[in-house]
């Protein structure tokens, strides 16, 4: 690269213009302050390599600059991670090397920012850089790169509200077992097995919801990874309870019960999306 030439960095769903400092995701401009942007550019210029804390200090906080360097650097890195929806415990983009510095993990493509867009980008990777899995044409579930950027606090709040909703379902069903049994008999002519499934699933669901709520509220380490592993087990439980509006079909009618069930079937996917959007961040 010629001296003074500015480049365009592409990684995942993101694009960063070195000349203007503009960061975009799927073409939508994201807000990132100047120092975090400069830190990100340093990492993108050397993908897969260690960028030491001393190098960052010399470039962004040179001698004579009065600043709490450790705190300022940690704040800037956290801002970069937040806008990239990245996690320190399970990084996709920025890896922390304790007391040494940071390394950019994802493959990076770079092109001259003045070059025509039709020219193919030249991949710049390192042998030490782990390749991220690329979505296959058959992928159904949304990846983190495809989700909108929201604050971690908003994602946590919405996630906890969903857990409270499920807790209300479980507790209400258990508090009105006799009424639920009568409705099941009216619908199915017998209620032993459906009632047993209702009780067992509620007994499983209550501790699961309490665990997820407390883990999100306390920002438990590794929650994102744990939730994604639990998701195949949580999904059938949530899909089963999506049928609960039909217990009220005599009060709300078949149409509303069907609409409510359709909405509830989306809730497990909404929980997964909120975890990827920052509810599972530390």
């Amino acid at each position: 690269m010629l001296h003074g030439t500015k480049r365009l960095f592409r990684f995942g769903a993101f694009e960063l213009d070195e000349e203007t400092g503009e960061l975009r995701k799927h073409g939508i401009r994201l807000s990132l302050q100047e120092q975090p942007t400069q830190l990100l550019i340093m990492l993108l210029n050397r993908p897969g390599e260690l960028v030491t804390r001393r190098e960052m200090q010399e470039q962004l906080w040179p001698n004579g600059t009065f600043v709490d360097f450790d705190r300022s650097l940690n704040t800037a890195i956290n801002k970069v991670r937040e806008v990239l929806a990245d996690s320190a415990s399970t990084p996709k983009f920025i890896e922390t090397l304790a007391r040494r510095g940071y390394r950019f993990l994802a493959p990076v493509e770079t092109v001259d920012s003045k070059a025509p867009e039709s020219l193919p980008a030249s991949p710049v990777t390192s042998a030490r850089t782990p390749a991220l899995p690329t979505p296959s044409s058959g992928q159904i579930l949304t990846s983190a790169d495809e989700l909108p950027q929201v604050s971690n606090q908003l994602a946590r709040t919405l996630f906890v509200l969903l857990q409270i909703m499920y807790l209300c379902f479980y507790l209400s069903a258990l508090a009105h077992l006799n009424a639920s049994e009568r409705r099941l008999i009216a619908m199915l002519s017998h209620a032993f097995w459906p009632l047993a499934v209702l009780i067992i699933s509620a007994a499983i669901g209550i501790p699961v919801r309490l665990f997820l709520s407390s883990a999100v509220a306390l920002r438990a380490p590794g929650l994102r990874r744990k939730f994604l592993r639990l998701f195949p087990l949580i999904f059938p439980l949530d899909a089963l309870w999506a049928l609960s509006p039909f217990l009220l079909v005599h009060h709300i009618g078949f149409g509303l019960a069907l609409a409510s069930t359709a909405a509830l079937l989306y809730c497990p996917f909404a929980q997964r999306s909120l975890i990827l959007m920052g509810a599972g961040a530390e």
Side-chain angles (χ1 to χ4, degrees):
M1 181 181 71
L2 297 175
H3 180 70
T5 302
K6 300 298 182 181
R7 297 186 294 176
L8 192 67
F9 300 99
R10 292 172 180 160
F11 54 99
F14 298 92
E15 183 177 88
L16 176 61
D17 191 319
E18 187 179 20
E19 182 175 15
T20 63
E22 294 178 331
L23 177 66
R24 290 183 169 84
K25 179 179 181 181
H26 295 305
I28 300 174
R29 184 174 178 180
L30 305 176
S31 176
L32 188 62
Q33 297 172 342
E34 182 178 356
Q35 281 189 330
T37 299
Q38 294 304 313
L39 280 177
L40 180 56
I41 289 174
M42 289 184 68
L43 293 167
L44 292 173
N45 271 303
R46 293 163 57 183
E49 299 180 18
L50 168 66
V51 180
T52 66
R53 297 173 68 89
R54 180 176 292 276
E55 289 175 299
M56 293 178 172
Q57 181 178 19
E58 290 175 352
Q59 179 162 332
L60 298 179
W61 294 279
N63 293 334
T65 302
F66 181 77
V67 67
D68 184 343
F69 166 69
D70 288 332
R71 181 176 180 179
S72 298
L73 177 58
N74 291 337
T75 299
I77 288 291
N78 287 336
K79 288 183 180 296
V80 174
R81 283 186 170 133
E82 182 175 355
V83 80
L84 298 181
D86 202 14
S87 168
S89 60
T90 54
K92 296 185 302 177
F93 297 112
I94 299 175
E95 178 186 25
T96 301
L97 301 176
R99 297 183 297 277
R100 299 172 62 195
Y102 301 90
R103 178 165 58 203
F104 197 83
L105 297 177
V108 178
E109 293 180 335
T110 61
V111 293
D112 185 341
S113 62
K114 301 301 181 183
E117 287 296 320
S118 58
L119 292 179
S122 301
V124 178
T125 58
S126 167
R128 297 165 57 192
T129 305
L132 292 180
T134 55
S136 64
S137 58
Q139 180 176 347
I140 297 176
L141 297 179
T142 304
S143 66
D145 292 341
E146 298 172 317
L147 294 168
Q149 295 288 328
V150 300
S151 69
N152 291 349
Q153 186 59 45
L154 176 60
R156 289 190 187 97
T157 300
L158 294 175
F159 186 88
V160 171
L161 288 175
L162 282 174
Q163 308 316 304
I164 294 174
M165 178 195 73
Y166 278 111
L167 280 172
C168 290
F169 284 171
Y170 302 149
L171 296 175
S172 177
L174 293 177
H176 301 87
L177 273 179
N178 290 336
S180 298
E181 183 178 10
R182 289 194 299 271
R183 290 173 188 139
L184 288 170
I185 291 175
M187 294 169 59
L188 304 173
S189 74
H190 61 86
F192 176 77
W193 288 112
L195 194 63
V197 170
L198 184 149
I199 295 172
I200 293 171
S201 60
I204 295 173
I206 290 173
V208 168
R209 301 304 163 187
L210 292 174
F211 163 73
L212 291 175
S213 300
S214 59
V216 166
L218 299 175
R219 305 183 183 184
L223 175 60
R224 174 174 169 169
R225 181 180 67 256
K226 293 175 183 176
F227 180 87
L228 294 178
R229 288 180 179 176
L230 285 172
F231 182 74
L233 303 177
I234 294 175
F235 177 76
L237 184 67
D238 290 354
L240 175 65
W241 278 86
L243 299 172
S244 60
F246 283 100
L247 293 175
L248 303 175
V249 69
H250 297 299
H251 300 286
I252 64 177
F254 181 82
L256 186 55
L258 182 61
S260 301
T261 293
L264 288 172
L265 284 172
Y266 175 70
C267 287
F269 302 105
Q271 293 174 83
R272 182 181 180 277
S273 295
L274 288 170
I275 285 290
L276 295 177
M277 291 163 65
E282 296 178 22

